[in-house]
Amino acid sequence: MKQTPETIVLLNFGCEDIQKFARAIRDRHIYTMVMPYTVPAERVMQEAPAGLIVCADDGVPARPEARAKFDALKLPTLDLTGGIGGKVDDAVEFCKAKCGCTGSWTMEKFIDEALADIRSQVGDQKVVLGLSGGVDSSVVAALIHKAIGKQLTCVFVNHGLLRKNEPEMVQEIFARNFDMNLCYVDASDRFLDKLKGVSDPEQKRKVIGKEFIEVFAEAAAKVDAPFLGQGTIYPDILESIPLDGNPNGVIKSHHNVGGLPENMKFKLVEPVERLFKDEVREVGRMLGLPSELIDRHPFPGPSLGVRHVGAIERSTLAMLREANAIVTEELTKAGWYHKTWQTFAIFVPVKTVGIKNHQRSYDYVIAIRSINSVDAVTAQVVRLPWELLETMMERIVKEVDGVNRVVYDITAKPPGTIEWE
Ligand code: XMP
């Protein structure tokens, strides 16, 4: 990977918010990287940094032996071992005054460099990419496509657990608007047959994951590409590095996509592996991806599968899909979609008595969950307006056959998880 000029390396000596700090300095157009204090000095020098910032939370013990190897590099160094809180301006000033940074790192520049890198890495060969419709894989698809056009083939697997209109939306955007080679595989029946009678949450995840790899591998084999595009982003890499880990293991080595058969050895193309999520979104916007895709709520890989409690039937899955679409539609209409981190419906396999069309009914329950979070590690319940919840309830009960009751989940995380399974 080519070095980005004017790189500042933040050395993590025990600093909880170091990713946010790195991101805030990048917002001022100075490119930063985060490395643990256990990193070998040679690894730091591979990035040809213009300067170092030593970061620790107030009260974290000093580590003079670790400091010595960085001091020996004789690079301009800012010491923030007393805590980074409120120090973004100081850091930017240091980068400009002491390290010669011009503050010219922009997303336009990133895109230009990424396009050149992809072209030189791939040459005239083919790339295959698994498109999920999520932000990261979508942005990587748009970026690689801009670089090499029809040399890229995207594989979009419909596992039957997608949200309403999702397969249509992804095909509309990529195959039609972007004129991309898109291989759409409708494997719904295959997945739903395999999931028949499976009610244990972990088992469901395993079935979905294993089947997904198989379907993707079959489709990818037909493309016969030596390269695999992946939507790895910077936090994926940072979070896989232990602060106190083995210094030789500090750089994540990706050899292959998790679980692909041994005989499918791809070389990886990961053009956004040094970007934070918001930066990936910005690249996506600049490449012309629509907001409905870029600014969508996070959605788990096993999809509606883990929002349908218990064994999945086609009929009850259809109820969940419809109810979820109503929740999203009303949330958006009321201007609340972007005020929440995730808001969705859950299918509860419990039948209760009710009255529908003036007759006794005995039908299923849909739960609504709306949470806010910063990092999904903890979450708070959103107090959606009562009127909005009532509108959702009225529409679900009226429009979704088989459902006669709607409840609101008021459980924070912890003690609850965000998903029900
Ligand atoms: P939990 O339910 O663990 O969810 O509080 C935390 C965040 O992770 C998402 N999530 C998943 N994402 N595969 C994924 O890709 C999964 O199996 C999975 N389970 C949970 C969830 O939507 C939330 O944002």
Side-chain angles (χ1 to χ4, degrees):
M1 158 76 71
K2 209 163 50 146
Q3 288 147 1
T4 306
E6 301 183 8
T7 297
I8 298 293
V9 171
L10 309 191
L11 293 164
N12 188 356
F13 275 68
C15 181
E16 200 172 321
D17 283 336
I18 198 161
Q19 286 195 32
K20 259 187 233 157
F21 194 60
R23 174 77 188 86
I25 300 172
R26 283 191 185 190
D27 263 342
R28 309 282 286 272
H29 308 298
I30 294 166
Y31 181 72
T32 53
M33 289 186 72
V34 177
M35 296 191 189
Y37 74 89
T38 46
V39 72
E42 307 80 68
R43 173 69 192 96
V44 174
M45 292 314 285
Q46 276 172 15
E47 300 297 330
L52 306 176
I53 303 180
V54 179
C55 304
D57 287 333
D58 200 10
V60 169
R63 300 176 192 275
E65 33 357 292
R67 280 298 292 269
K69 72 179 170 190
F70 301 120
D71 289 342
L73 298 176
K74 302 267 182 270
L75 289 166
T77 303
L78 176 66
D79 190 306
L80 294 182
T81 49
I84 56 169
K87 297 283 173 58
V88 175
D89 286 346
D90 295 0
V92 169
E93 179 55 25
F94 159 78
C95 299
K96 290 189 172 167
K98 297 282 195 307
C99 311
C101 293
T102 50
S104 55
W105 188 70
T106 60
M107 281 300 139
E108 285 90 349
K109 225 170 163 173
F110 168 84
I111 292 175
D112 286 346
E113 285 178 13
L115 295 176
D117 283 349
I118 295 167
R119 288 182 191 124
S120 83
Q121 187 189 359
V122 170
D124 59 2
Q125 296 188 286
K126 288 188 200 163
V127 180
V128 64
L129 180 140
L131 189 63
S132 70
V135 176
D136 304 339
S137 67
S138 296
V139 172
V140 167
L143 197 55
I144 298 180
H145 179 256
K146 194 171 167 81
I148 59 167
K150 297 272 178 169
Q151 283 166 253
L152 169 71
T153 300
C154 290
V155 174
F156 176 55
V157 176
N158 180 354
H159 47 34
L161 302 164
L162 296 170
R163 287 163 288 190
K164 191 176 175 183
N165 295 331
E166 200 158 10
E168 292 78 11
M169 182 184 99
V170 173
Q171 291 181 83
E172 172 70 29
I173 292 171
F174 290 98
R176 281 192 272 284
N177 294 0
F178 277 78
D179 191 25
M180 227 178 248
N181 281 333
L182 180 69
C183 166
Y184 171 66
V185 188
D186 185 352
S188 308
D189 284 336
R190 187 167 157 173
F191 276 82
L192 295 178
D193 288 346
K194 281 265 157 57
L195 283 167
K196 228 183 182 83
V198 180
S199 57
D200 177 71
E202 287 317 301
Q203 193 56 28
K204 264 191 204 172
R205 276 196 172 76
K206 275 193 200 130
V207 171
I208 297 166
K210 179 170 170 283
E211 207 58 25
F212 194 89
I213 294 285
E214 275 182 37
V215 174
F216 178 77
E218 278 168 28
K222 289 189 198 132
V223 180
D224 195 19
F227 290 95
L228 177 73
Q230 284 214 128
T232 311
I233 68 172
Y234 202 35
D236 297 336
I237 292 179
L238 291 180
E239 278 147 29
S240 69
I241 302 172
L243 187 58
D244 281 301
N246 171 2
N248 298 321
V250 288
I251 300 131
K252 187 182 178 188
S253 50
H254 321 270
H255 297 295
N256 215 330
V257 88
L260 275 181
E262 269 299 300
N263 61 355
M264 294 189 87
K265 284 264 183 277
F266 287 108
K267 286 174 265 179
L268 298 181
V269 185
E270 300 179 294
V272 299
E273 68 175 345
R274 290 190 170 197
L275 297 189
F276 289 106
K277 191 86 179 188
D278 291 348
E279 294 168 337
V280 174
R281 289 204 166 95
E282 200 179 327
V283 169
R285 272 189 280 272
M286 290 172 72
L287 293 173
L289 289 174
S291 167
E292 58 178 326
L293 204 146
I294 293 294
D295 301 313
R296 252 182 150 187
H297 289 167
F299 189 55
S303 310
L304 295 183
V306 290
R307 294 181 178 174
H308 180 299
V309 176
I312 297 168
E313 295 288 335
R314 283 174 171 76
S315 58
T316 49
L317 180 64
M319 293 174 200
L320 171 61
R321 181 174 287 127
E322 200 53 44
N324 191 65
I326 292 171
V327 167
T328 307
E329 201 182 307
E330 291 303 326
L331 191 75
T332 309
K333 234 196 263 171
W336 274 86
Y337 187 88
H338 296 296
K339 291 192 216 163
T340 71
W341 169 279
Q342 281 174 298
T343 301
F344 53 89
I346 302 112
F347 175 80
V348 187
V350 168
K351 280 189 164 185
T352 71
V353 174
I355 308 155
K356 227 177 169 179
N357 304 325
H358 309 290
Q359 283 185 0
R360 179 186 186 274
S361 65
Y362 188 52
D363 282 333
Y364 288 110
V365 177
I366 285 288
I368 298 173
R369 183 142 175 76
S370 181
I371 54 100
N372 265 330
S373 179
V374 179
D375 50 14
V377 176
T378 61
Q380 302 79 46
V381 175
V382 179
R383 295 184 179 199
L384 287 180
W386 198 249
E387 299 72 29
L388 172 57
L389 289 170
E390 276 177 345
T391 308
M392 290 173 178
M393 177 276 296
E394 277 163 14
R395 279 197 59 195
I396 290 170
V397 169
K398 184 157 167 240
E399 296 173 32
V400 184
D401 278 346
V403 174
N404 68 353
R405 192 175 295 272
V406 176
V407 297
Y408 192 50
D409 183 353
I410 58 162
T411 322
K413 175 182 178 178
T417 49
I418 295 174
E419 304 296 343
W420 274 34
E421 287 199 332

